[in-house]
């Protein structure tokens, strides 16, 4: 059976067993932002097992796209893969061991036609129940092997939670693949036996002490690797020889112009390129883009590892685009997202390959130099500093460096590398550290002073002064003009967090007034108000009224809600891969960083803006509600990957039903209509695969529009026309200007020709060489070049060096006729030395050189050098 036939047969079989077949979820886990990639079919089933969501049926089956990073460096051997398809059937409190075992055996032996004697089974040490069920369906006791927790017990994921024994089905490829040991059997690792199906019996809950108690409703979670079972169906252990990989291997072999199977090293390289090309296509299709962290780093690592191995197949050849195209053609009918996003997938690969190839040769040369240097020092360890340089400057993932040097018997100092990485992270943190004007140091003693935040519902709040901090030390009293940090027991002031700037305003007591210039959080529950005493004094323990600058807060809120709508619009226009990577929400503008490879077109920018403003006009309700983190994620609320969240989170929803639902602790408006108008100011690149949009809303947008209209009116007045007629008037003026420029250029050429004829009388003969050195009046580079051509033609043989002033800087042109070039005279070298006198540089070819300088007053001195040079 082919891979496609096995996949279809499996899903049909379990559909007949009253299972609901569910589609594969994305490789980006939707239910758990802390999980890097989807590693098993159970990932999308987990909320049902935990009771956080209701399944469409208590019996489910799927063919799930999976990705595991643990085996990247092993890819290239006979069987290791990063991307694979996992066939799975699941019971959410319905059937259990007996049915799972019986159906697995039935599918393998009756639907797929495996010979009974080819299948072996493993069970947990004391799982007699599973052992007996296998015996009941006819598996001989000698082909049922017991193993301990390392091999046959699953979970829990942490210290506590659901767990249980598992039972694995292994395929025996025969004695010819055996290690020959008497103990050879399942889990031997020699290659004779391949685990093709794992049945997990989730029947216990483990507590903190490690005690396991039976679950009231046990579950079944099974997983069978499609690639492995397809290889078993062929009776050979090599997954790369199955129909799932054959077209990819053929593609690589054709591009490399080398046969597969003729050379071991070549075969490894072909398998790496084929496997990574397939994996890369699926990652990009699901929205992963190359970057230096998280999922993007995994993708970049695969792309660059495949490039390196591709280089071994052909130094100047590229493979990945064609391999990806072949993978899309092969798998696109099963996974429609591949075909739908083909152009985007290929573009991502092209851009990343081009970028890496720019530094690949230099990086490999550096590795060779490092290894040679270490060899002379009789060291076999590449320093963390060198590994970091390869990573940071030349784009070599450290795992790739480690793999390359290992072939020469070297290792990488990973501790040293991590130290360099941490220092880089510290530098980045220091660069982005909040340093608002007038901020003062706060001491560690503030950790005990907690602040209750009430600013979601009010702008004004009665409070008690808990701490007064000056330069890190607690004070009892602050006098007029003194700068400090205040901590209150409760406050309406929002402390800077999540990209939103802190509030400003006033804190007023009976004896004084404190102007707040900025508010920060130094811990999740400690808010510090920075500023100074404007009048009177304040003392610890005073009862005060804290009041936020209302208009400024509303400006911030408008911009913050607009970032959520912008995120929604971007995903509509450029795709689901457009994920938030950073933001700044200030009163005067908003800044939104997102993942995307190329610049947005004017049409895309316009479309994004239209979508946001359409939602503004709909005046959608904006609601914030508290929820458990698990419940919010199960409902599909957007969370940022790598962001740390508590058990209780704040969900910000826009619209009913929601067009946007994100975890957010910031302040927002009550309805989108309060945004007024949204306008994009700019869209730019801030790094590979990262874009930035800056925009304005509300009062900021109004001011922007007024400024633009005012500028338009001023331009119209300067042009002597009405605003509506500016375009026509400008076109008319540009045409006139172009006409005048052409006339001026023609006149300049005529004058330069006359000047050139005059210069012919100044030709000198130096060492039998005709030499003309002159300062000319023209400032047009093209005209000066034409003048030199004219002089050369009239002189027949000679050297010409002309100097002129162009935009208040000296420029030089040198020309040497062909007969003198043959004698060793070089125009590029002459002009370079001449320009050096004027503080500049240049060069060119032996026959023609051009250069520029800094100091116009040195122009004549530079020209006087020519004679001595000749």
């Amino acid at each position: 059976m082919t891979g496609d036939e096995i996949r279809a047969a499996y899903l049909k079989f379990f559909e007949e067993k009253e299972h609901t077949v569910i589609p594969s979820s994305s490789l980006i886990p939707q239910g758990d932002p802390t999980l890097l990639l989807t590693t098993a079919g159970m990932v999308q089933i987990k909320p049902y097992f935990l009771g956080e969501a209701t399944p469409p049926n208590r019996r489910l089956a799927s063919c799930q796209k999976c990705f595991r990073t643990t085996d990247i460096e092993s890819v290239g051997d006979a069987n290791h893969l990063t991307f694979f398809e996992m066939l799975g059937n699941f019971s959410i409190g319905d059937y259990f061991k007996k049915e799972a075992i019986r159906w697995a055996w039935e599918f393998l032996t009756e639907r797929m036609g495996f010979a009974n004697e080819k299948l072996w089974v493993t069970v947990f040490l004391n799982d007699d129940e599973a052992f007996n069920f296998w015996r009941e369906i006819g598996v001989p006791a000698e082909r049922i092997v017991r193993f301990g927790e390392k091999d046959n017990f699953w979970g829990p994921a942490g210290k506590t939670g659901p767990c249980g024994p598992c039972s694995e089905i292994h395929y025996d490829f025969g004695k010819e693949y055996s290690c020959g040991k008497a103990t050879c059997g399942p889990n031997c690792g020699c290659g004779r036996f391949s685990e093709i199906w794992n049945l997990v019996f989730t029947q216990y809950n483990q507590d903190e002490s490690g005690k396991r108690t039976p679950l009231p409703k046990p579950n079944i979670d099974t997983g069978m690797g499609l690639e492995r079972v397809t290889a078993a169906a062929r009776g050979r252990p090599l997954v790369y020889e199955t129909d799932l990989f054959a077209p990819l291997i053929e593609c690589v072999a054709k591009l490399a112009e080398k046969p597969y199977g003729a050379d071991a090293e070549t075969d490894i390289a072909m398998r790496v390129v084929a496997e990574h090309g397939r994996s890369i296509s699926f990652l990009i299709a699901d929205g992963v883009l190359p970057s230096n962290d998280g999922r993007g780093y995994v993708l970049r690592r695969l792309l660059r590892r495949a490039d390196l191995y591709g280089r071994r197949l052909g130094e100047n050849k590229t493979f990945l685009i064609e391999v990806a195209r072949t993978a899309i053609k092969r798998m696109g009918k099963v996974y429609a997202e591949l075909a739908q996003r083909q152009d985007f997938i290929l573009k991502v690969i092209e851009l990343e390959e081009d970028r890496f190839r720019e530094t690949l040769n230099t990086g490999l040369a550096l590795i060779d130099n490092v290894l040679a240097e270490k060899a002379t020092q009789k060291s076999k360890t590449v320093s963390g500093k060198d590994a970091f340089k390869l990573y940071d400057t030349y784009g070599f993932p450290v795992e790739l460096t480690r793999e390359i040097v290992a072939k020469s018997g070297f290792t990488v100092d990973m501790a040293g590398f991590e130290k360099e990485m941490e220092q880089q992270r510290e530098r980045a943190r220091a660069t982005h550290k909040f340093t608002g004007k007038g901020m003062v140091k706060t001491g560690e003693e503030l950790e005990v002073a907690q602040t209750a935040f009430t600013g979601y519902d009010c702008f004004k709040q009665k409070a008690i002064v808990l701490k007064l901090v000056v330069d890190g030390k607690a004070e009892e009293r602050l006098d007029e003009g003194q700068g400090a940090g205040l901590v209150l027991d409760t406050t309406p002031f929002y402390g800077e967090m999540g990209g939103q700037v802190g509030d400003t305003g006033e804190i007023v007591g009976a004896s004084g007034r404190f102007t707040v210039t900025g508010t920060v959080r130094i811990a999740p529950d400690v808010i510090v108000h920075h500023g100074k005493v404007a009048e009177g004094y304040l003392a610890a323990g005073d009862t005060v009224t804290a009041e936020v600058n209302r208009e400024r807060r509303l400006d911030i809120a408008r911009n913050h809600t607009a970032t959520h709508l912008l995120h929604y619009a971007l995903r509509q226009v450029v795709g689901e891969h457009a994920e938030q990577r950073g933001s700044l929400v200030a009163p005067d503008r908003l800044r939104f960083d997102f993942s995307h490879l190329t610049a947005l077109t004017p049409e895309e920018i316009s479309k994004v803006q239209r979508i946001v403003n359409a939602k503004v006009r709909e005046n959608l309700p904006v609601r914030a509600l508290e929820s458990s983190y698990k419940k919010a994620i199960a409902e599909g609320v957007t969370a940022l990957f790598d962001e740390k969240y508590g058990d209780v989170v704040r969900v910000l929803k826009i619209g009913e039903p929601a067009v946007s639902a994100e975890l957010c602790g910031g302040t927002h408006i009550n309805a989108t209509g309060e945004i007024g108008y949204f306008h994009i100011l700019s869209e730019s690149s801030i790094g590979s695969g990262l874009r930035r949009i800056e925009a304005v809303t509300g009062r900021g947008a109004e001011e922007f529009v007024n400024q633009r209209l005012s500028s338009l009116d001023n331009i119209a007045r300067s042009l002597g026309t009405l605003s509506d007629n500016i375009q026509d008037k400008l076109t008319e003026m540009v045409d006139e200007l172009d006409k005048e420029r052409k006339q001026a250029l023609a006149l300049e050429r005529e004058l330069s020709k006359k000047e050139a004829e005059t210069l012919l009388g100044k030709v000198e003969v130096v060492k039998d060489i005709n030499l003309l050195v002159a300062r000319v009046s023209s400032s047009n580079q093209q005209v000066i070049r034409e003048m030199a051509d004219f002089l050369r033609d009239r002189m027949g043989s000679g050297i010409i060096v002309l100097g002129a002033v162009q935009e208040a800087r000296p420029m030089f042109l040198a020309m040497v006729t062909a007969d003198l070039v043959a004698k060793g005279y070089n125009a590029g070298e002459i002009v370079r030395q001449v320009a050096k006198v004027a503080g500049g540089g240049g060069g060119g070819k032996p026959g023609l050189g051009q250069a520029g300088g800094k100091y116009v007053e040195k122009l004549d001195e530079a020209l006087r050098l020519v004679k001595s040079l000749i």
Side-chain angles (χ1 to χ4, degrees):
M1 295 174 72
T2 66
D4 287 338
E5 289 169 345
I6 294 170
R7 186 193 302 109
Y10 179 90
L11 296 176
K12 184 174 184 291
F13 176 83
F14 279 98
E15 204 168 27
E16 291 169 1
K17 303 297 183 188
E18 299 179 350
H19 288 62
T20 296
V21 174
I22 56 176
S24 171
S25 62
S26 169
L27 285 173
I28 300 177
Q30 299 303 305
D32 188 352
T34 62
L35 192 61
L36 189 70
L37 292 160
T38 299
T39 55
M42 195 272 287
V43 170
Q44 68 164 318
I45 309 297
K46 188 177 174 183
Y48 304 142
F49 282 170
L50 298 176
E52 295 167 357
T54 303
N57 184 354
R58 290 203 296 167
R59 296 182 180 187
L60 300 173
S62 69
C63 181
Q64 174 64 48
K65 298 178 292 186
C66 297
F67 194 102
R68 292 181 182 171
T69 61
T70 51
D71 295 329
I72 291 177
E73 290 174 37
S74 299
V75 170
D77 65 7
N79 286 304
H80 280 97
L81 303 172
T82 54
F83 171 86
F84 60 97
E85 296 177 81
M86 184 176 283
L87 301 165
N89 56 286
F90 310 91
S91 165
I92 298 103
D94 187 52
Y95 62 84
F96 199 46
K97 291 183 187 179
K98 184 175 183 178
E99 294 84 353
I101 288 170
R102 177 160 46 87
W103 291 338
W105 192 256
E106 181 184 343
F107 178 75
L108 290 176
T109 58
E110 296 181 21
R111 292 295 173 94
M112 287 197 65
F114 280 122
N116 291 14
E117 63 273 13
K118 284 287 188 181
L119 301 175
W120 288 60
V121 172
T122 66
V123 296
F124 185 54
L125 276 176
N126 61 4
D127 192 357
D128 294 332
E129 187 180 21
F131 181 92
N132 291 331
F133 285 139
W134 285 115
R135 291 289 293 116
E136 282 179 19
I137 59 174
V139 180
E142 62 270 20
R143 291 212 311 273
I144 305 174
V145 189
R146 295 179 185 264
F147 286 96
E149 293 206 8
K150 179 185 173 185
D151 296 297
N152 277 76
F153 197 92
W154 179 88
K159 290 183 178 180
T160 64
C163 57
C166 63
S167 185
E168 297 171 346
I169 303 173
H170 293 249
Y171 182 84
D172 180 4
F173 285 104
K175 291 181 180 179
E176 61 268 35
Y177 295 99
S178 174
C179 58
K181 296 177 183 177
T183 56
C184 185
N187 294 331
C188 174
C190 66
R192 172 179 174 176
F193 294 90
S194 173
E195 177 213 325
I196 57 175
W197 204 337
N198 187 11
L199 316 178
V200 179
F201 312 128
T202 313
Q203 64 187 95
Y204 302 113
N205 185 62
Q206 182 170 302
D207 62 21
E208 290 280 359
S209 68
K211 183 182 177 184
R212 294 167 182 164
T213 54
L215 289 169
K217 286 188 176 181
N219 303 312
I220 288 292
D221 159 26
T222 86
M224 177 163 63
L226 177 62
E227 292 79 4
R228 283 193 186 183
V229 75
T230 306
R234 295 183 72 258
R236 286 174 56 79
L238 301 174
V239 296
Y240 291 99
E241 293 180 4
T242 66
D243 63 293
L244 296 168
F245 276 99
L248 304 178
I249 295 292
E250 287 169 13
C251 173
V252 177
K254 184 177 179 182
L255 291 169
E257 298 178 336
K258 296 177 181 179
Y260 179 74
D263 174 73
E265 286 298 312
T266 298
D267 288 355
I268 289 171
M270 286 186 179
R271 290 195 288 261
V272 169
V273 174
E275 198 281 339
H276 287 358
R278 185 175 87 140
S279 302
I280 286 161
S281 302
F282 276 94
L283 284 172
I284 298 170
D286 278 352
V288 180
L289 291 177
S291 70
N292 283 335
D293 54 28
R295 304 174 187 117
Y297 181 70
V298 173
L299 174 59
R300 175 161 285 165
R301 189 177 158 194
L302 289 189
L303 279 156
R304 297 189 170 184
R305 186 171 187 262
D307 260 352
L308 186 66
Y309 276 87
R311 180 187 173 88
R312 295 174 186 174
L313 296 172
E315 189 158 333
N316 297 313
K317 294 181 179 181
T318 57
F319 295 87
L320 281 181
I321 288 178
E322 286 309 313
V323 172
R325 205 188 302 274
T326 304
I328 292 167
K329 184 178 179 181
R330 172 69 184 79
M331 308 290 285
K333 292 177 183 177
V334 180
Y335 300 101
E337 62 271 19
L338 288 172
Q340 291 165 0
R341 297 169 190 165
Q342 174 169 315
D343 291 345
F344 180 72
I345 293 166
L346 301 181
K347 185 65 176 176
V348 173
I349 294 172
E350 179 187 6
L351 290 172
E352 185 69 8
E353 275 198 304
D354 288 347
R355 186 176 181 209
F356 186 46
R357 281 179 177 269
E358 289 174 7
T359 59
L360 179 58
N361 289 335
T362 312
L364 289 172
L366 178 62
I367 289 177
D368 289 340
N369 292 339
V370 169
L371 296 187
E373 184 182 336
K374 295 295 178 186
T376 61
Q377 298 169 359
K378 296 185 178 179
S379 168
K380 284 289 185 179
T381 304
V382 174
S383 71
K385 199 166 189 176
D386 286 331
F388 178 76
K389 184 179 180 181
L390 282 160
Y391 164 79
D392 194 46
T393 307
Y394 301 105
F396 278 63
V398 68
E399 297 86 356
L400 192 58
T401 300
R402 194 168 59 190
E403 190 175 342
I404 294 169
V405 303
K407 290 183 178 296
S408 301
F410 286 77
T411 60
V412 172
D413 175 11
M414 290 304 294
F417 174 80
E418 287 302 330
K419 184 179 178 182
E420 295 288 335
M421 284 293 291
E422 184 54 37
Q423 287 175 357
Q424 186 192 56
R425 285 190 282 265
E426 284 296 332
R427 289 192 293 270
R429 281 194 283 268
T431 302
H432 293 97
K433 200 170 181 181
F434 183 79
T435 54
K437 188 177 179 182
M439 297 294 137
V440 295
K441 290 190 293 182
T442 52
E444 292 182 4
E445 66 269 21
L446 290 182
E447 291 179 8
V448 299
Q450 297 183 356
T451 309
F453 176 64
T454 60
Y456 290 134
D457 306 308
C458 68
F459 296 93
K460 194 172 183 180
Q461 176 72 46
K462 289 282 186 186
I464 296 171
V465 178
L466 296 179
K467 294 276 184 183
L468 302 169
V469 185
V470 179
D471 292 330
K473 296 179 181 178
E475 300 287 349
E476 289 300 313
R477 170 174 163 145
L478 294 177
D479 292 314
E480 190 169 320
Q482 199 169 5
L486 266 65
V487 181
L488 308 177
D489 67 329
T490 182
T491 184
F493 283 78
Y494 183 85
E496 183 191 10
M497 184 175 65
Q500 179 176 327
V501 298
D503 283 329
T504 62
E506 285 189 337
I507 297 172
V508 180
S511 54
R513 178 169 58 88
F514 184 88
T515 301
V516 180
T517 56
T519 312
V520 297
R521 288 177 187 261
I522 61 170
D525 51 5
V526 180
I527 297 174
V528 182
H529 310 75
H530 288 289
K532 68 177 182 178
V533 180
E535 59 181 88
Y537 68 89
L538 286 180
D542 281 358
T543 298
V544 294
T545 299
E547 186 170 4
V548 172
N549 181 328
R550 181 187 177 93
E551 285 304 312
R552 183 177 180 276
R553 161 74 80 78
L554 289 174
D555 287 338
I556 294 169
R558 277 187 278 269
N559 283 334
H560 202 155
T561 304
T563 64
H564 288 234
L565 288 178
L566 173 59
H567 194 187
Y568 161 76
L570 283 168
R571 291 169 79 98
Q572 297 291 308
V573 174
V574 303
E576 293 295 313
H577 64 273
E579 294 182 345
Q580 180 178 341
R581 293 297 174 90
S583 67
L584 170 69
V585 182
D588 58 330
R589 74 191 192 287
L590 66 90
R591 189 176 73 206
F592 189 81
D593 301 339
F594 61 100
S595 53
H596 188 56
L597 275 174
T598 56
L600 269 63
T601 64
E603 293 76 18
E604 287 173 328
I605 292 172
S606 180
K607 190 173 181 181
V608 167
Q609 193 166 282
R610 283 200 305 273
I611 290 172
V612 173
N613 281 313
K615 296 305 173 188
V616 169
R617 289 190 295 274
E618 288 177 32
N619 199 29
L620 301 172
V622 179
R623 299 174 296 121
L625 53 96
E626 284 194 344
S627 167
S628 74
Y629 172 76
K630 288 182 178 179
K631 183 175 182 235
I633 295 302
E635 290 174 353
V637 174
T638 299
L640 299 182
F641 179 69
D642 273 351
E643 189 77 24
K644 299 292 185 266
Y645 297 100
D647 293 334
V648 177
V649 292
R650 189 167 182 265
V651 179
L652 196 286
K653 292 187 175 184
I654 301 175
E656 190 58 58
V659 297
S660 170
E662 299 187 22
L663 298 185
C664 181
T667 60
H668 291 266
I669 49 180
N670 295 315
T672 58
E674 295 176 39
I675 291 171
Y677 175 65
F678 170 85
H679 187 85
I680 294 175
L681 300 176
S682 65
E683 190 272 346
S684 60
S685 169
I686 56 168
S688 176
L690 290 175
R691 309 295 302 176
R692 170 172 290 171
I693 282 178
E694 298 202 46
V696 286
T697 69
R699 292 195 301 171
E702 182 182 351
E703 184 179 345
F704 171 78
V705 171
N706 285 338
Q707 284 177 351
R708 283 298 173 93
L709 290 175
S710 177
S711 296
L712 205 60
D713 289 340
N714 291 336
I715 292 168
R717 278 193 292 273
S718 298
L719 295 174
T721 188
L722 299 174
S723 298
D724 291 347
N725 299 331
I726 284 178
Q727 186 64 56
D728 293 339
K729 185 68 175 179
L730 275 175
T731 301
E732 180 186 324
M733 290 184 70
V734 168
D735 289 344
E736 286 179 15
L737 187 59
D738 192 40
K739 184 179 177 183
E740 294 294 335
R741 280 176 177 156
K742 286 177 181 176
Q743 289 177 350
L745 183 60
L747 182 59
E748 190 172 355
R749 279 181 170 139
E750 190 64 33
L751 290 171
S752 69
K753 188 175 180 182
K754 290 181 179 178
E755 186 178 3
E757 287 173 345
T758 304
L759 291 175
L760 285 170
K762 297 181 180 180
V763 174
E764 295 182 73
V765 177
V766 179
K767 292 178 67 177
D768 297 326
I769 294 171
N770 292 324
L771 175 66
L772 175 59
V773 181
R775 177 172 179 164
V776 296
S777 57
S778 177
S779 62
N780 186 298
Q781 202 165 11
Q782 181 60 34
V783 170
I784 295 170
R785 169 72 187 273
E786 290 171 4
M787 185 185 289
D789 287 338
F790 172 80
L791 291 166
R792 180 198 59 203
D793 294 343
R794 291 291 295 271
M795 289 168 64
S797 172
I799 296 173
I800 302 158
V801 179
L802 304 178
V805 178
Q806 187 178 39
E807 296 180 355
R809 283 176 174 262
M811 62 87 64
F812 304 93
L813 183 143
M815 197 171 277
V816 177
T817 55
D819 60 317
L820 297 178
V821 168
K823 292 181 179 181
Y825 291 93
N826 188 306
E829 182 60 24
I830 292 169
V831 83
R832 186 182 66 80
Q833 295 205 44
V834 169
K836 196 182 292 184
V837 175
K845 297 177 180 178
L848 175 67
Q850 290 177 286
K854 294 180 182 178
Y855 312 116
V856 71
E857 66 274 11
K858 297 264 190 180
L859 191 150
D860 293 327
E861 182 186 340
L863 291 174
R864 284 196 293 271
L865 177 69
V866 176
K867 194 171 181 180
S868 64
L869 287 176
I870 301 307

